[in-house]
Amino acid sequence: MFEFAFGVDDLATTWITYSPLQEAVFSLRTRRHAAKYPWQRRWTESWEAEYRTLDTALLDALVTPRAWAPDFLTPRPTCQRPSIESELATIAGTPPETVAKDFAAAYRGDGAPMPESVAEALADDPAELLARCVAQLRAYWERCLLPQWWPRARTVLEADLAYRGRMFAERGAEGLFAELDHRLSWQAGVLRLDDPDPRVQALGGRYTPVAGRGLVLVPTLFALGAHTVIDEDEPPAISYPARGRALMGESSPLRVPDALAELIGPPRARLLLLLDQPASTTALAHRLSVTPGAVSRHLSALATAGLLTRTRAGRSVLYARSALGDALVAGGS
């Protein structure tokens, strides 16, 4: 059990963001535990040929048999919506001794032997192994994840951020933390995380004052429950399962009710149905296999009619159904 003690000002320094690099590293879990991530299966199958062109032995070794990863591969985000390049630059600057320590800790915690190729590389030249890790993760991102998977994944993660922000505004800290995951609970200024993993329990409980450092909450598509990373020199961080992650498995055509299609037309009806969670024009265009320009025209019309709301998130504008849009969908179904 982990407990995070909040002072008066600590909630003001609690923030939520996602990490492209963490998603890339955690996505490697699906290769060992495909049954645990059924909504990702069609994606991993779609990029299998590209994956085979990479250093698969090294990439597979970045996640242990029980799904642990060396800590240096998933640094805490230091800004809202970091880029993959900035995060790769961060891990490229990891001291070689930390690379060796974190690999050893991951495999020791897992209880599995470290692959011989990794053990030999760490003994010979951990800096060179680090450079290979960075190069292979970049190639994996560019060839497998970025073309189609990441636009959909980013939409789900952005929707999670928008929802959590609304929960915090409407229900405060207790409402926010209660919604994140069943492992988390909030009482009297203390956030408690109960992790049932016996490997984690063997490490013993920990009481951690946030003490002005801030708490980073990180949604992910590859967590089966909330988990934490605590370091004396860094803000505590909690990763939790992103809301709506099962949407990644959506592949069947969306059924549009006849009444709704008659009223506003099939394309706009389809968009209205998709926007039960916030999404950008680009993400919607990808899901519908149409041009962003076509989607943009329909979104503008729906927003003008009061059926959608618009919220800026960084460089993107996220659309979601308004209360009127919800009522129309409910009446047309």
Side-chain angles (χ1 to χ4, degrees), residues 4 18 33 52 62 112 131 147 153 163 166 175 195 199-200 219-220 223 240 242 261 263 266 300:
F4 302 89
Y18 53 79
H33 304 284
R52 289 295 171 190
L62 299 185
Y163 178 80
R166 188 164 69 248
D195 192 326
R199 297 166 296 166
V200 175
T220 174
Y240 64 89
L263 184 63
S300 295

Side-chain angles (χ1 to χ4, degrees), residues 6 10-16 160-177 179-180 186 217:
F6 286 74
D10 286 327
L11 280 176
T13 56
T14 294
W15 54 294
I16 310 176
D160 183 274
L161 264 58
Y163 178 80
R164 304 305 175 188
R166 188 164 69 248
M167 284 298 97
F168 187 60
E170 293 177 357
R171 297 172 53 190
E174 185 173 5
L176 169 66
F177 292 130
E179 285 273 342
L180 288 180
W186 170 266
L217 300 171

Side-chain angles (χ1 to χ4, degrees), residues 70 72 91 94-104 122 126-127 129-130 133:
F72 78 91
I91 67 169
T94 305
E97 60 271 19
T98 301
V99 174
K101 175 178 68 69
D102 286 358
F103 262 110
L122 286 173
L129 176 63
L130 173 62
C133 289

